[in-house]
């Protein structure tokens, strides 16, 4: 399982190449996905506030966010077959996927270029930060 790492702009991503088999510099924030993120999952609250829920690859989001009619039909089918239903994705009424904004895409590119590295802050808390330079190594 990879770490969840936030960019300086607050976008949750997955770990870098040391933690995933694909060797990708930054990955989908799905816990078992090694693919590069391409989209953001947004959630619109009842108050109308939009919350970013992380950077994901499109296939992960397509499994999670589906049209409401498709989710309802899958839940009804599950119930008819004796399953509980409710595990068929999130209806797209309050959840949606979008491509990165220019600022979000720039942060991902900075990670790929090595300008931001995964940094441990505290137990379970990681961020993409500029690499530190060890000044004592030149002494």
């Amino acid at each position: 399982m990879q770490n969840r790492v936030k960019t300086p702009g607050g976008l949750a991503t997955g770990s870098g190449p040391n933690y995933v088999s694909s060797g990708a510099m930054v990955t989908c924030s799905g816990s078992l996905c090694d693919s590069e993120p391409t989209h953001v999952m947004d959630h619109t609250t009842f108050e109308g506030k939009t919350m970013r829920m992380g950077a994901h690859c499109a296939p992960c989001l397509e499994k999670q966010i589906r049209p409401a009619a498709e989710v309802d039909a899958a839940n009804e089918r599950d119930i008819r077959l004796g399953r509980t239903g409710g595990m068929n994705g999130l209806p797209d009424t309050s959840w949606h996927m979008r491509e990165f904004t220019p600022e979000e895409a720039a942060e991902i590119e900075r990670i790929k270029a090595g300008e931001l590295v995964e940094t441990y802050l505290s137990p379970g808390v990681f961020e993409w930060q500029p690499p530190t330079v060890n000044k004592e190594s030149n002494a």
Side-chain angles (χ1 to χ4, degrees):
M1 178 179 266
Q2 62 182 319
N3 297 319
R4 292 224 110 203
V5 188
K6 286 201 172 196
T7 64
L11 186 62
T13 66
S15 298
N18 296 331
Y19 301 98
V20 296
S21 60
S22 68
M25 291 302 293
V26 60
T27 61
C28 173
S29 69
S31 62
L32 300 175
C33 183
D34 285 358
S35 299
E36 262 190 39
T38 56
H39 289 76
V40 174
M41 178 164 54
D42 283 339
H43 173 63
T44 305
T45 65
F46 290 112
E47 298 85 19
K49 180 180 175 184
T50 301
M51 300 170 47
R52 292 184 307 169
M53 303 305 287
H56 297 267
C57 64
C60 280
L61 286 179
E62 288 163 0
K63 291 178 194 170
Q64 294 180 54
I65 304 172
R66 296 165 62 189
E70 187 178 324
V71 172
D72 290 342
N75 285 337
E76 287 177 23
R77 183 184 64 245
D78 281 354
I79 291 167
R80 277 195 316 272
L81 297 173
R83 297 182 287 221
T84 58
M87 300 298 290
N88 293 300
L90 303 167
D92 66 354
T93 53
S94 61
W95 298 88
H96 63 277
M97 60 190 273
R98 63 170 172 78
E99 292 184 3
F100 293 132
T101 63
E103 295 81 17
E104 292 164 343
E107 280 192 329
I108 298 297
E109 290 305 316
R110 288 182 63 207
I111 292 169
K112 290 181 188 178
E115 296 172 23
L116 297 173
V117 295
E118 184 176 18
T119 306
Y120 170 85
L121 300 178
S122 63
V125 180
F126 297 85
E127 269 187 8
W128 295 107
Q129 296 183 346
T132 58
V133 178
N134 186 355
K135 294 178 182 176
E136 295 179 18
S137 64
N138 294 339

